[in-house]
Amino acid sequence: MPVDFRFAARSDVGLVRKNNQDSGYAGSHLLVLADGMGGAAGGDIASSIAVAHMAPLDTDDHRADDMLNLLRRALTDAHEELIDRAQVDPQLHGLGTTCIALMRSGKKLAMVHIGDSRAYVLRNGTLTQVTTDHSFVQYLIQTGQITPEEAETHPQRSVVLRILGDSSNDIDPDESIREAVLGDRWLLCSDGLSGVVSADTIIETLATIDDPGECAEELIELALRGGGPDNITCVIADVVESGTVEPAPPQIVGAAAVDRLSPSRGSSGAAGRAAQLSPNVAHDDREEEDEFPERRPWLPTFIALIVAAAVGLGLWAGYTWSQSQYYAQLKDDKVVIYRGIPQVIGPWALSHPVEVTPVTLNDLQPVERDRLKEPVRRSSREEIDQYVKRLVNDAQFHNPEPSSPSPEPSESSPADESPSPTSGGR
């Protein structure tokens, strides 16, 4: 009996992370889950690139015998692009991503898997983990060094041993071929779900909520109730009888739903193409909503008020400082003292005259005349007064006034015989 996928994909940034580095894809012949790593500078790009290389395989014109080769080739191409991008852009060093891809051709399924994201299948009420984590704690479990219960709290439980990334090592994905069994429900998820929600709760949710989209949303809600420490992405597909579901466009969610590559990083590349796979692709904008969540509508206004207050405080502080400054300058052939600084902002002058001194242009030496054509600035009234006082003293020294209006005594004057106290006589 021919079969189809009834599918859905959902993603959420979680309650701790600032951006979504997961990417998910669900289509009639392909399911993909990628969990990026490398920080905000690279994880979202890495997962988008993985999805972009896989998405073209979502067609019905591939033979079952070719599926593994096609998936393997797509993984290798994604890996090589990640290496190239990290070499070109130092900010992307260390980027990488997990990847699970499940491809259908007729009643055959092909799967490739690398990393610690998981694939489960629910069959007749029993949930089976199909993938094996490529993680350090899984290695410790397999070698008998710790138990699965101890792995849940192990300090190195996030260490992944195999990924697509900027390492030049060859990738080594797990590969498998299996039957598409009517009635099976497949779940591909990031560790934002499997690391938070128990297997029993996942089984109960998968078994009781029929609609794949509603089921994925409920699983995400459960992970959020558990603290939402990581991005959460679920891709769900039911194996149903062909012709029992309406054809639906593929769904792409998480980082791959938006082209996050700036022009400097080449938005025409695979990660950019992931956001434009088809004009009919159904995008999940949940992450964009989470970046500007409705539950915090006051945040932009609050930030604007803070910025406005900071600007206002800065302007007031600048004006207050300017009014503690003084300068002197020639104005209409007189030396005038001004308070403030010699600047104008729009219609506002930041200075005003406070005193016209007795020093005139004719009293000044040539060097001071030139100097006072521009403001002579001082940081206090005392300092500018001392400067003007020096100008007055210089003017008196170079232009002494006569001590009396009477003619100066002649050489035969008796004043020569009796010098005055200010004559400096011996």
Side-chain angles (χ1 to χ4, degrees):
M1 179 185 297
V3 297
D4 284 330
F5 276 160
R6 182 174 64 147
F7 56 83
R10 299 290 187 270
S11 187
D12 194 286
V13 72
L15 301 178
V16 175
R17 305 291 189 184
K18 292 183 178 180
N19 74 323
N20 198 342
Q21 299 184 60
D22 288 358
S23 292
Y25 181 96
S28 58
H29 294 84
L30 182 73
L31 311 175
V32 184
L33 189 288
D35 182 353
M37 59 200 69
D44 53 354
I45 294 175
S47 67
S48 297
I49 287 173
V51 167
H53 281 280
M54 290 291 177
L57 302 180
D58 186 19
T59 67
D60 60 358
D61 56 357
H62 300 305
R63 296 189 310 117
D65 291 344
D66 296 332
M67 289 192 296
L68 277 181
N69 287 333
L70 292 169
L71 290 170
R72 191 184 304 117
R73 181 70 259 173
L75 277 182
T76 301
D77 290 345
H79 184 61
E80 290 175 353
E81 181 171 346
L82 293 175
I83 294 173
D84 291 342
R85 288 188 178 275
Q87 290 175 345
V88 171
D89 188 346
Q91 294 184 32
L92 298 182
H93 286 175
L95 87 169
T97 184
T98 70
C99 187
I100 303 175
L102 182 67
M103 184 178 177
R104 183 181 67 83
S105 177
K107 295 185 66 175
K108 289 290 186 180
L109 300 176
M111 176 182 286
V112 292
H113 160 61
I114 188 166
D116 66 347
S117 298
R118 292 181 178 179
Y120 296 90
V121 62
L122 180 69
R123 178 178 297 169
N124 299 324
T126 300
L127 186 69
T128 302
Q129 182 179 333
V130 177
T131 55
T132 299
D133 296 348
H134 298 151
S135 63
F136 180 63
V137 293
Q138 183 61 37
Y139 165 77
L140 296 179
I141 292 172
Q142 291 174 335
T143 56
Q145 299 181 55
I146 62 173
T147 65
E149 292 72 25
E150 291 172 332
E152 293 178 0
T153 57
H154 195 282
Q156 292 177 300
R157 61 187 179 277
S158 298
V159 176
V160 183
L161 301 180
R162 281 191 263 170
I163 60 169
L164 300 179
D166 66 354
S167 170
S168 59
N169 296 332
D170 292 336
I171 59 174
D172 184 20
D174 291 344
E175 303 173 353
S176 61
I177 292 283
R178 64 191 73 236
E179 291 290 326
V181 178
L182 191 66
D184 281 358
R185 168 164 278 189
W186 285 86
L187 167 66
L188 277 55
C189 66
S190 60
D191 60 353
L193 176 69
S194 60
V196 177
V197 181
S198 70
D200 289 342
T201 303
I202 292 176
I203 292 173
E204 180 182 359
T205 306
L206 291 172
T208 56
I209 301 179
D210 179 66
D211 182 76
E214 294 177 6
C215 185
E217 291 170 3
E218 178 61 20
L219 289 172
I220 288 175
E221 182 63 29
L222 291 169
L224 293 174
R225 292 177 195 169
D230 202 349
N231 307 144
I232 314 153
T233 302
C234 301
V235 177
I236 295 178
D238 297 331
V239 181
V240 298
E241 184 179 349
S242 182
T244 61
V245 292
E246 291 293 329
Q251 298 180 14
I252 183 168
V253 297
V258 180
D259 181 2
R260 301 189 179 284
L261 294 184
S262 65
S264 64
R265 293 184 182 175
S267 60
S268 61
R273 295 194 302 272
Q276 304 172 0
L277 294 172
S278 165
N280 296 319
V281 168
H283 288 189
D284 183 347
D285 297 326
R286 185 186 302 257
E287 183 205 353
E288 291 182 284
E289 294 170 0
D290 282 321
E291 290 179 356
F292 306 94
E294 294 182 1
R295 60 181 176 271
R296 293 181 292 180
W298 49 266
L299 186 57
T301 302
F302 178 72
I303 292 175
L305 290 174
I306 291 295
V307 171
V311 171
L313 184 61
L315 291 175
W316 174 252
Y319 177 78
T320 301
W321 170 83
S322 74
Q323 297 310 295
S324 68
Q325 306 298 298
Y326 290 84
Y327 67 93
Q329 190 173 8
L330 278 170
K331 177 72 173 177
D332 298 330
D333 293 339
K334 289 184 179 293
V335 176
V336 179
I337 296 176
Y338 294 82
R339 180 180 180 180
I341 56 177
Q343 292 183 10
V344 176
I345 300 178
W348 297 286
L350 298 183
S351 66
H352 60 278
V354 293
E355 181 181 345
V356 178
T357 73
V359 183
T360 66
L361 177 66
N362 294 332
D363 295 330
L364 299 172
Q365 296 301 300
V367 64
E368 291 294 350
R369 292 180 185 178
D370 291 339
R371 187 180 184 188
L372 283 163
K373 290 178 182 178
E374 300 295 332
V376 177
R377 300 172 62 166
R378 294 293 185 268
S379 58
S380 68
R381 180 60 194 262
E382 291 76 11
E383 292 180 9
I384 201 67
D385 284 345
Q386 290 177 1
Y387 171 71
V388 172
K389 182 177 180 181
R390 181 174 65 79
L391 294 180
V392 172
N393 291 338
D394 287 347
Q396 291 176 347
F397 178 79
H398 291 288
N399 301 287
E401 296 181 359
S403 58
S404 67
S406 60
E408 294 184 4
S410 65
E411 293 184 0
S412 60
S413 170
D416 291 336
E417 300 176 1
S418 179
S420 67
T422 59
S423 66
R426 297 181 177 87

